Amino acid sequence: MDLIVKIGGSIQKDEKDYELIVEKIRKYSQKNGKLIVVTSAIKNVTNDLINATINIDNSPDIASEIYERHVKLLSKLADGKEFENAFKDLSRLSDELFRVTWSIRVLDEVTPRVKDYILSFGERMATVLLSAVLRSNGIEAEGISTPPLITDDNYGEANVIEELSKKEIDNIIKNSKVNVIVLPGFIGRTKQGKYTTLGRGGSDYTATLIGKLVRAREVRLVTEVPGIMTGDPKKFSNAKTIPRLSLEEAIELSQLGAKRLHPRTFDPVFNIDMKVIVESLYEDGFTVINGECEKSDGLKGISYLDNMKLITVESTKIVGKIGSAAKITSEAKEAGVNIVSISQPASETTIQLAVDSSSVNRLLERLEGLKGTLVKNIEVNDISIVGIVGCGIRKKEISTKVISIAAKYDPLAIARGISNVSLTFIVNKEEGENLSKELHEVIVNG
Amino acid sequence: MDLIVKIGGSIQKDEKDYELIVEKIRKYSQKNGKLIVVTSAIKNVTNDLINATINIDNSPDIASEIYERHVKLLSKLADGKEFENAFKDLSRLSDELFRVTWSIRVLDEVTPRVKDYILSFGERMATVLLSAVLRSNGIEAEGISTPPLITDDNYGEANVIEELSKKEIDNIIKNSKVNVIVLPGFIGRTKQGKYTTLGRGGSDYTATLIGKLVRAREVRLVTEVPGIMTGDPKKFSNAKTIPRLSLEEAIELSQLGAKRLHPRTFDPVFNIDMKVIVESLYEDGFTVINGECEKSDGLKGISYLDNMKLITVESTKIVGKIGSAAKITSEAKEAGVNIVSISQPASETTIQLAVDSSSVNRLLERLEGLKGTLVKNIEVNDISIVGIVGCGIRKKEISTKVISIAAKYDPLAIARGISNVSLTFIVNKEEGENLSKELHEVIVNG
Amino acid sequence: MDLIVKIGGSIQKDEKDYELIVEKIRKYSQKNGKLIVVTSAIKNVTNDLINATINIDNSPDIASEIYERHVKLLSKLADGKEFENAFKDLSRLSDELFRVTWSIRVLDEVTPRVKDYILSFGERMATVLLSAVLRSNGIEAEGISTPPLITDDNYGEANVIEELSKKEIDNIIKNSKVNVIVLPGFIGRTKQGKYTTLGRGGSDYTATLIGKLVRAREVRLVTEVPGIMTGDPKKFSNAKTIPRLSLEEAIELSQLGAKRLHPRTFDPVFNIDMKVIVESLYEDGFTVINGECEKSDGLKGISYLDNMKLITVESTKIVGKIGSAAKITSEAKEAGVNIVSISQPASETTIQLAVDSSSVNRLLERLEGLKGTLVKNIEVNDISIVGIVGCGIRKKEISTKVISIAAKYDPLAIARGISNVSLTFIVNKEEGENLSKELHEVIVNG
Amino acid sequence: MDLIVKIGGSIQKDEKDYELIVEKIRKYSQKNGKLIVVTSAIKNVTNDLINATINIDNSPDIASEIYERHVKLLSKLADGKEFENAFKDLSRLSDELFRVTWSIRVLDEVTPRVKDYILSFGERMATVLLSAVLRSNGIEAEGISTPPLITDDNYGEANVIEELSKKEIDNIIKNSKVNVIVLPGFIGRTKQGKYTTLGRGGSDYTATLIGKLVRAREVRLVTEVPGIMTGDPKKFSNAKTIPRLSLEEAIELSQLGAKRLHPRTFDPVFNIDMKVIVESLYEDGFTVINGECEKSDGLKGISYLDNMKLITVESTKIVGKIGSAAKITSEAKEAGVNIVSISQPASETTIQLAVDSSSVNRLLERLEGLKGTLVKNIEVNDISIVGIVGCGIRKKEISTKVISIAAKYDPLAIARGISNVSLTFIVNKEEGENLSKELHEVIVNG
């Protein structure tokens, strides 16, 4: 199996989308022969299902609505026997989902296991729909809505047991007589057959992981944007697609950049020779991700978080007190607050934590509790975090240029990232936009 | 009581030193009337006493040698009745110390309480010596070798109970009929009368704390260097004394700068109106420390740590994992390793810890233990940490200039310190010297 | 409200039972005017409902079967409008129960909250049935199937919040226009309206607690036996009803005696003046329980546990080792093993634990783990535990007589119970029957 | 090495004692050839040394006084070269002790290690004295004041490392050319050569342990009483020596009986064939301890603790609450209170703890803290604990007789001890004396 194609949920919204998907898969199938398609739940369905676990009273209605949306698409895109069979499958799944939503309404309770069960319907229905549409369009395709990934029972963020999963997928491939196998992304199941979700990284991660298990040459993540871009096009009018990224660059850009890939997507790719290609359903551009830095690499892209807070915890007592960082970071942990950046400068009189604005209050409450003992003063400032990514940063002339630009914006902190392919700048909130724009110009126009 | 004068140990080494000390105190006494002198143990004595607690078998010999050193100085610097009385006091203390050292040799054991007991003799003897020398030179002085600071029993780093200590000092002042009261620095005693040491910050901290308790206007720290300098004169040939520092600047420079003051020295000074003056026994220059940043303040001084390691802990799992920083910093805590600087850049794929070269192995051992779970890869690099301090950093044109200079040296990280009066640069070891020199030039020559 | 009558589940099995119940309540109502009836779930229903939470696949069938049983009884015992209304209510409850059982089957999961929800149907249905039957027989009765007891959310063993519960019951009484209010025993609800169960002590405890809250004069526990008996009639052919027991005696007999009342039943009765009467639906005898020992009190009853193990943990190290008992008892706690009796004789060389045969292996496993450290040897013996209860034990001649009898059976241990109204004998298993018989003879024939 | 003779401290008080000791050892040496004598510190010395660690200021005086006492005895009992050598050894030890006591006075502190060091002088001096006296009387004896037992560093209650200790003793025996080797009891030393004490069981335990290590046939514990007696002769005028005890009987009697042997004394004797003989220096009688119960064994002795408290912790909540015993016993542990006897009768409504009067308040304070949660009521009663020991208790007619006697004294609890060779009775304080007398009569007169 050479190729895995992952079809995102945001590009499964209407007939036109499916026509494009059909043509894309037809093209890849003609070129590659056998391939695996990993599908997300269709547009908005995962959100609606999450909603069903919260607004329990409405959950049967939400279930009906989701069913109808799938059937409507199916009726337009499939016919004859294909329609009939898929309709039966969707109805069976809808029945099951309806029973579950009805049950949680009766019991007024959703356990983590049941939440994953409910979420599983999104990808399972999408698998039925997509495979039927492909067959209706003359592509020999088979949809297997039972997820092949076997996981532990850590519901909400289940861990894949690779050995068992590989056996499942190998079996599927062995038994399949068609070219295109459609599998659900994002979900797995325990050895006992309970549905789980893989959590962070979603279907992209499923695709690269299956790619690794079947030793694919390429994993294509098909999405609405033409690859990974130099910056968010909404913010930078001249943003362009980046043709190639090393793995390190991709990880650095993945979380903060314009296209939200989860860095975990690249976990299965380390140390194996597999290309990940991010491409658009609608446009031509694409980004190839693989391998390490190359000599010619310069600056690639900008990331920009503009709603952050910088908490400065000041205390002369921090000086020389081994363990004050441990104390403060574990307070953050207990408050469930993700620290985006910590820095304790060499003079040791202060610790600075950058956190998202939404979680700042939870952390402050706890830090206030340390006043009088460890903490002398706490200051909170609005900041932006601007990152620039590219293997070129390893070159002195490039990094000097970048830092000199940043210097003009009065940065609070500057740091290099993993493998020395990124520089991150913490600046006052109001400086963020201009700094990011100036850096973006450097990328685009040199 | 307007003035506290602290006489350091490194400037109590020979007759010439004491002549200068006498003249200095005479001058201040004539100007101020009553004053308190806080004395350290004389040169090398504290180290010798620590040695006595380690080389237990030699400890009585060390005690004898210390006694002889004091008596020799006394015999040269005092005479007649002053000599006689002080000789008696020193002999009494020496007897006591001899008994203690003999006892630890008999028992082959030094508890933390006994260690503090032994260390107390340094300052107690110095108090006897210095006060006798002053009197012999016609200054009305009284030495009180029992420390007035009352502390808890946290031997080795006892905490001062300010209320009780204030009563003691007030009593001493009330009962004293002379102008100059000589008190021991660094040591205290529990309510039960056991000797303790104050740990970090030593006699400087004692001086500023007594200054606070008696509401002094000025605390003069007399030492071998003419104030705090722009950089270590051994490294920067054109280093100069800094005339004034704000408290924030002083704290930032205190630990890393040329003259090693402990930042804790300034703890008692916050929020009260008291000047701390660092001056030389030998030369004219001095540095006045008090108050906050002023408009005219520019760049003040350079700090430079050149034997550091940067540990980069890499893990794609760190991404979004709340608590990985807490885990890693608490490993450092358990290993007893002081983290000089932490930084976790915004992309969250790595944590960087700067630690002293001497403690790096202890930490690495523990981090290796996390491999396979939290930690994917660990890299260690030789680095230097260069800091530049000055309220001027708050001005955009100055910080831009400084950062632009640093940019040329390929910095791994840049951070601002407390109150925005310092910038710290982590650079590769080999860049440290040139960066620090270029920055020092900016301070000295603009 | 003077009187609370609790109608047990084992006496709600057929028409004849209900005829007797109707007559009993009619009688009490005529005599007392207003009264509260607390009802258990009808015979076997609680067990069936527990079964429904275990055999999830069959749970809807079990629900149907329970519904049918209630309707069948109703059809025989009520008619006209009473039948119609109660039938509607039962059907509504059955519907709800059916939905719940169906939901747990769909979700394949029963949380503690849902288990309590399911169990609640037993008492709620019984309330509907019993009140309808009473009305059909001309008694002005009202059934309130929503439990008045407000509890915390400690599902399975919820704690009653007395203040809130009192308000609920006072309201019910104030708003009720009829003489007989039928309320469900055993169950409560949280402030959020979720059903809970009270756990240990069941409906008896509900009855005495409601009695306390409404300051009732009498609580009558109607059951299948004519009061508390001198011994289990199956074992002692001449066993007789005990006319009166002090509270202390009742507590001692409650757990081990012939009629299994839970000692918690008497918790609400302490320090208030309320009689608890245990009586039979079928026979005349009854036992009055209240107050303290009286002068004339002799021996009252026998308890007899014949399937126990005595674990002897031997270690010369136990000697003088403070805390060995703590260690061993906490092992038992962690193993979830209830220690019926511990004794560590004065020579301190051994600890003896009496536990039920069913749990002995779990404890032994853990104690074996202590071998080599704390434990030198472990012996296990089959024992019986025979208790004799009565205020008379406080009289020397009686206790001497009892102990002298026991002496003949080679007792391993003898102990007095709370308030000195019981003596407990640990004997070898084979001695238990004869000892208990001989002691029972003393009670019955003096 | 067939024989170990332990010479107690209470029988080393004056010349007459030593004459008797010399004759005893001469006799055993003539009969056995080689033997090891284990000596305690001479009369009162251990107490005086403990006192020296408490009254630190007087400790050098105490040291002198102890030295003088040994020299005085030596001068009367040895002469010529024997006197001279032993005097030198004692003076050397006294010097060392003097230095230590002087050191603790200087440092005003005694650590556990130093306390053991100080205590070690008692046995070390006794070894010198006793061996010199033996030699002066023509017995070929050698005193080795360095303890042969190697222990861990658990000062105050060090654990013997048997393997290393055996090597030491084997070496001593191999290198010794004389018949009688005198060794110090009670003390050991770490591998680093620091002195330790063995804690509980003292020199008796040292003797039996050395007996075990050298596979001795007999260990003779020479003391002031003619063996173990049926009861305390001060309390029972017709008390007699018991000729033989099984090990089980000895352990039961050891702690509570007239002669205070520590049960730990018998630890080394289990499972090996070694007789322990308790004999008097002054009188003829003796008790042989070894082996198991024999058929002819009847009742052997009485123990009697008359200053005890019975704490009754009452709570209806205890019922069925697994772990309440664990909670209460661990409170006792934390309070440092030794529970002599616990009993939780089968009805589970109460826990009874017997503790010594001296420690009752510490425990009560903690139990009061549980009121409101676990504890409903606490009662404290004055009790006596009377025990009767003898293999005969295994015979039904004997145990029936004993229990029937006890029954007359209104016992609160009766329990059998380890191996079924004792019965313990908890009775009200005022009953203790009569019960113990009546039981003692049964032993003496049948």
Side-chain angles (χ1 to χ4, degrees), chain B residues 107-109 111 113 194, chain D residues 107-109 111 113 194:
Chain B
L107 301 180
D108 195 19
E109 189 174 59
T111 63
R113 190 175 78 58
K194 303 297 177 199
Chain D
L107 302 180
D108 195 19
E109 189 175 59
T111 62
R113 190 176 77 59
K194 303 296 176 199

Side-chain angles (χ1 to χ4, degrees), chain D residues 86-213:
Chain D
F87 178 74
K88 246 185 253 167
D89 287 348
L90 284 177
S91 300
R92 193 183 39 77
L93 283 167
S94 167
D95 249 39
E96 188 184 339
L97 173 59
F98 183 75
R99 283 196 301 272
V100 176
T101 53
W102 194 86
S103 297
I104 61 171
R105 198 171 66 173
V106 167
L107 302 180
D108 195 19
E109 189 175 59
V110 179
T111 62
R113 190 176 77 59
V114 170
K115 184 176 176 185
D116 274 14
Y117 185 17
I118 290 176
L119 290 181
S120 76
F121 287 93
E123 271 73 14
R124 289 155 75 201
M125 287 184 165
T127 302
V128 171
L129 176 63
L130 182 54
S131 59
V133 171
L134 292 175
R135 279 192 303 272
S136 251
N137 285 280
I139 298 171
E140 285 191 10
E142 174 184 25
I144 295 171
S145 60
T146 301
L149 297 181
I150 307 302
T151 72
D152 61 15
D153 64 354
N154 186 23
Y155 297 105
E157 197 153 340
N159 301 295
V160 174
I161 305 167
E162 297 197 3
E163 207 178 351
L164 298 180
S165 303
K166 182 166 173 44
K167 274 188 200 159
E168 292 289 321
I169 296 171
D170 285 350
N171 257 329
I172 287 170
I173 293 172
K174 212 179 65 187
N175 295 328
S176 175
K177 285 153 201 147
V178 298
N179 274 337
V180 177
I181 302 169
V182 183
L183 297 174
F186 182 52
I187 62 172
R189 60 192 155 103
T190 66
K191 286 189 233 173
Q192 286 74 36
K194 303 296 176 199
Y195 289 99
T196 55
T197 63
L198 305 184
R200 305 166 297 120
S203 298
D204 292 333
Y205 172 64
T206 306
T208 54
L209 183 62
I210 290 179
K212 176 187 174 190
L213 295 179

Side-chain angles (χ1 to χ4, degrees), chain A residues 203-215:
Chain A
S203 298
D204 292 333
Y205 172 63
T206 306
T208 55
L209 183 61
I210 290 179
K212 176 187 174 190
L213 296 178
V214 304
R215 299 170 196 271

Side-chain angles (χ1 to χ4, degrees), chain A residues 96 98-104 106-109 111 113-114 117 194, chain C residues 96 98-104 106-109 111 113-114 117 194:
Chain A
E96 189 184 338
F98 183 75
R99 284 196 302 273
V100 176
T101 52
W102 194 86
S103 297
I104 61 171
V106 167
L107 301 180
D108 195 19
E109 190 175 57
T111 63
R113 190 175 79 57
V114 170
Y117 185 17
K194 303 296 176 199
Chain C
E96 188 184 338
F98 183 74
R99 282 195 303 271
V100 176
T101 53
W102 194 86
S103 297
I104 62 171
V106 167
L107 301 180
D108 195 18
E109 189 175 59
T111 62
R113 190 176 77 59
V114 169
Y117 185 18
K194 303 297 177 197

Side-chain angles (χ1 to χ4, degrees), chain B residues 48 101 135 379 398-399:
Chain B
D48 291 347
T101 53
R135 277 192 305 272
E379 240 185 80
I398 292 183
S399 69

